[in-house]
Amino acid sequence: MASSGEERRSDSPGRAGTGTEPAAAADAAQLDTAEDFEVLEEEEEEEDDLSELPPLENVVRPPAPPREDSQPPEQGGGDAPGDPQEWLDVLGNGLLRKKTMVPGQGVDTRPRKGQDVTIRLKATLEDGTVVEEDPALTFTLGDCDVLQALDLCVQLLEMGETALIMSEAKYCYGAQGRSPDIPPNASLTLEVELLAARDAPDLELLSGKEKIQLANRKRERGNYFYQQADYVLAINSYDIALRIVDSNSKVDFSPDEEAELLDVKVKCLNNLAASQLKLDHYKAALKSCNLVLEHQPGNIKALFRKGKVLAQQGEYREAIPILKAALKLEPSNKTIHAELSKLVKKHADQRNVETEMYRKMLGNPSGTSTPRKCKDKLPWSIPWKWLFGATAIALGGVALSVVIAARN
């Protein structure tokens, strides 16, 4: 069943950031409890903003300058290992190359995006140190569940093929590396064998427990990307998790499973809003917050982020009562206190600017006296001669119309 394969994924070293390292576990715990609301908890994403994601290779951080020793070998003849004619430049930039070591069963046996694939993986550093090894790593191809080098290259493998993949850090663990065994900006050599490929399980037939587990894995992958500041990929993962949660089902769920699925959805939406805020997608973030509040009107994180979105748009008058509502729910939260104080000051400054503007419009630029409010008078003075002139013109037009009508 798909669930057993999925369980292998969560422990896989090839899945960056979702292994069993203590640091990763600590980060995952922080996502759901952090007071500052800047890291993710678990939230959903919105459909409008995620329909046209860039290709996988275009949404990661810029690569480090390539080193001379990482370039493909010079062109030349011969059949020795490393012959340039045997290497495929996967993306055309020299940063990700693939070479077949053991041929597969033909091009028609290549896996498709969306399928669950199982591979044998061995990853080594340039000095030969083995940093990852998994005899049966299973993941959904194209879902960004694993290293991008794998996601991009495994779709080029034939069934039974064994290949070497030489990847720069951009498509592995990037500038941050993976503590303690993979240093920053480390290139990796991946030995990969394609063992199996099968269609992903039908979401409509998943049990409540299976659907919850699958959605949580995608959400946790989004949390990893958020921590790596890859907000587009984070949104992609939250979008996948939300599609799983919202998919139709032919299986009856228990009330507890329904409640847990709603909890996963709310967490994804909250984290989606946080990611959209990082990308200045305010309209999308506001929609994500509102979706949370439809289910949980007292969700503090959604209230806080909605207030922050409105503040970013200069809507201080609307943002302040929302933050006050959040603070009322959690009076000791220092982050909400600080944000609310900042907004109150900005709102006061905004009102001062508006008041000065009104003074200038009313012919009182010095500000020595406060302009009086008068419901029955126009906010600016109109010379009487202009008013009488306009009246005369209007009356003249009426008289002319009467004369023309009489002649006819």
Side-chain angles (χ1 to χ4, degrees):
M1 188 69 179
S3 58
S4 61
E6 294 288 345
E7 287 169 4
R8 280 200 300 272
R9 289 178 216 185
S10 61
D11 297 331
S12 166
R15 191 175 313 280
T18 60
T20 56
E21 300 91 340
D27 288 341
Q30 184 185 19
L31 287 177
D32 292 337
T33 59
E35 184 184 53
D36 62 7
F37 297 94
E38 287 304 318
V39 290
L40 308 175
E41 55 176 274
E42 304 174 4
E43 312 175 325
E44 178 177 76
E45 134 186 5
E46 77 166 36
E47 298 173 359
D48 293 349
D49 187 52
L50 307 173
S51 58
E52 296 295 336
L53 288 174
L56 182 62
E57 61 269 23
N58 293 334
V59 296
V60 292
R61 285 186 293 272
R67 299 186 299 276
E68 293 181 0
D69 60 358
S70 67
Q71 298 302 313
E74 296 181 358
Q75 295 281 341
D79 298 326
D83 189 302
Q85 295 179 356
E86 298 179 6
W87 286 95
L88 171 67
D89 189 347
V90 176
L91 299 175
N93 57 11
L95 303 180
L96 183 64
R97 297 180 292 136
K98 167 191 171 289
K99 180 172 71 170
T100 299
M101 305 299 293
V102 177
Q105 301 172 14
V107 174
D108 293 341
T109 65
R110 288 179 177 176
R112 304 183 307 275
K113 287 185 178 180
Q115 286 189 312
D116 284 347
V117 297
T118 302
I119 63 172
R120 176 182 61 82
L121 172 67
K122 181 180 179 180
T124 59
L125 297 174
E126 290 179 313
D127 63 3
T129 303
V130 177
V131 291
E132 299 188 4
E133 199 161 11
D134 193 321
L137 170 62
T138 300
F139 60 95
T140 302
L141 189 60
D143 274 12
C144 304
D145 291 341
V146 291
L147 297 177
Q148 294 180 53
L150 292 174
D151 234 344
L152 291 166
C153 291
V154 168
Q155 59 188 293
L156 303 176
L157 296 182
E158 301 170 5
M159 190 60 60
E161 177 181 350
T162 299
L164 284 182
I165 299 169
M166 295 185 66
S167 175
E168 290 293 305
K170 174 179 180 178
Y171 302 109
C172 294
Y173 290 94
Q176 295 185 357
R178 187 189 70 183
S179 179
D181 54 348
I182 300 179
N185 296 312
S187 299
L188 291 179
T189 298
L190 310 173
E191 181 180 323
V192 181
E193 179 184 1
L194 180 59
L195 302 176
R198 63 183 182 277
D199 291 339
D202 188 342
L203 295 179
E204 291 186 346
L205 301 179
L206 291 180
S207 67
K209 182 179 180 181
E210 289 171 333
K211 182 173 283 192
I212 292 167
Q213 290 175 343
L214 182 58
N216 269 325
R217 277 191 289 272
K218 304 301 183 181
R219 176 186 57 79
E220 289 165 1
R221 187 62 175 166
N223 290 352
Y224 166 76
F225 283 126
Y226 185 95
Q227 291 174 323
Q228 301 298 312
D230 285 335
Y231 303 116
V232 173
L233 290 182
I235 287 174
N236 180 64
S237 293
Y238 295 134
D239 179 47
I240 294 172
L242 286 171
R243 282 193 274 115
I244 293 169
V245 172
D246 290 334
S247 62
N248 295 326
S249 180
K250 297 178 180 179
V251 180
D252 292 331
F253 299 155
S254 69
D256 288 344
E257 289 172 336
E258 293 282 6
E260 195 167 353
L261 281 169
L262 178 59
D263 182 64
V264 174
K265 180 174 182 176
V266 166
K267 288 177 178 179
C268 288
L269 282 170
N270 271 328
N271 287 354
L272 178 64
S275 302
Q276 291 161 338
L277 264 173
K278 291 292 186 180
L279 296 175
D280 296 336
H281 294 171
Y282 300 131
K283 182 178 179 181
L286 186 61
K287 180 178 178 180
S288 298
C289 292
N290 286 334
L291 287 172
V292 174
L293 295 172
E294 286 179 9
H295 296 291
Q296 297 179 359
N299 188 289
I300 295 176
K301 288 186 171 71
L303 289 170
F304 176 82
R305 291 193 179 116
K306 182 176 181 178
K308 197 164 185 178
V309 169
L310 292 171
Q312 292 286 354
Q313 296 176 310
E315 303 291 342
Y316 303 126
R317 184 176 298 176
E318 295 182 32
I320 288 173
I322 292 174
L323 289 181
K324 285 182 177 179
L327 190 61
K328 185 176 180 180
L329 293 170
E330 195 169 307
S332 61
N333 191 295
K334 297 179 181 178
T335 301
I336 301 177
H337 269 290
E339 188 71 17
L340 183 57
S341 298
K342 182 171 63 177
L343 291 191
V344 169
K345 183 179 184 304
K346 287 184 177 180
H347 188 215
D349 293 341
Q350 184 184 62
R351 293 180 64 183
N352 290 337
V353 170
E354 291 174 352
T355 300
E356 185 62 26
M357 179 182 66
Y358 294 148
R359 284 173 177 165
K360 291 180 180 179
M361 290 174 60
L362 295 170
N364 185 24
S366 64
T368 55
S369 62
T370 303
R372 294 175 298 172
K373 295 182 181 179
C374 181
K375 298 181 180 179
D376 299 327
K377 293 183 180 180
L378 296 174
W380 61 85
S381 57
I382 299 178
W384 285 106
K385 61 181 179 180
W386 290 7
L387 183 59
F388 284 128
T391 303
I393 292 173
L395 292 175
V398 172
L400 181 60
S401 298
V402 171
V403 171
I404 293 174
R407 288 181 177 180
N408 292 335

